[in-house]
Amino acid sequence: MSRHSIPAKCLPPIRPASFNATQISTALETDLRQHVQRHRKKLGMSCRWDGNLSYLLSPALSSYEQERCSGLSYGNEEFQMAIRRYVKDGATFKAFPVQFSHLNPDRMFDACLRSPVCRDILDCCGDSVQFALRVLVTVYPEDLCAVWVMLAVHYYSIL
């Protein structure tokens, strides 16, 4: 045995996750929606949500986390095809996925505001502007978590 190795009996056991990822995902999604609505209200703009589009974002977030863990990408073509089928001809679709390692919605939204891509989505003007938001929390032992957030919008440009 190496002088640097620690006997297994001296290592503390790995603690399983202690919280419900689905409940945390739902709570974060609610908080972030409120942030988006307040931001749009400050700009004098309305904020309509598209629940069906939010649902379509879920597989992409799962795929991003799997790719982060394994290095293998899957499902991207299916996601793009689903979006193309859902978003009507002539409409524009934009999305911003981002990953966090904390559960603070205020910090998440502040980070989103610093991103030009996300800011473009948040400040979007057009006809029939509808937003979508999905949050996926993946919990690992020791209560480590990966939080994926995707904010999206679809709209018709007005010239």
Side-chain angles (χ1 to χ4, degrees):
M1 177 161 60
S2 165
R3 66 183 182 113
H4 297 289
S5 64
I6 300 172
K9 64 182 179 184
C10 296
L11 294 174
I14 294 177
R15 222 173 13 100
S18 66
F19 53 85
N20 183 314
T22 304
Q23 289 175 345
I24 300 294
S25 295
T26 302
L28 286 172
E29 201 168 296
T30 299
D31 289 346
L32 289 170
R33 279 179 193 254
Q34 291 172 352
H35 277 290
V36 170
Q37 288 171 213
R38 281 193 297 268
H39 176 80
R40 299 271 303 169
K41 188 174 182 178
K42 283 181 195 174
L43 298 175
M45 298 179 188
S46 64
C47 185
R48 288 184 39 215
W49 294 100
D50 183 338
N52 293 325
L53 182 58
S54 294
Y55 178 77
L56 290 176
L57 302 178
S58 299
L61 297 181
S62 295
S63 176
Y64 297 154
E65 181 60 13
Q66 288 299 316
E67 182 178 0
R68 188 185 72 83
C69 292
S70 69
L72 301 174
S73 176
Y74 74 92
N76 191 34
E77 289 179 28
E78 291 85 356
F79 170 68
Q80 289 179 10
M81 207 165 30
I83 296 300
R84 282 190 196 108
R85 284 184 184 149
Y86 185 77
V87 176
K88 293 180 177 51
D89 287 341
T92 300
F93 171 80
K94 295 180 183 179
F96 176 71
V98 62
Q99 192 264 329
F100 299 100
S101 58
H102 61 80
L103 299 172
N104 185 320
D106 298 330
R107 286 177 48 203
M108 289 175 190
F109 191 72
D110 287 343
C112 290
L113 286 175
R114 290 190 298 272
S115 164
V117 174
C118 189
R119 195 63 183 250
D120 186 47
I121 291 171
L122 288 167
D123 299 351
C124 178
C125 292
D127 190 26
S128 300
V129 176
Q130 292 187 49
F131 291 90
L133 179 72
R134 184 57 76 207
V135 176
L136 173 71
V137 176
T138 305
V139 183
Y140 295 100
E142 301 290 328
D143 284 338
L144 297 175
C145 62
V147 180
W148 282 95
V149 175
M150 188 182 296
L151 178 66
V153 66
H154 65 101
Y155 63 96
Y156 293 95
S157 295
I158 49 176
L159 302 174

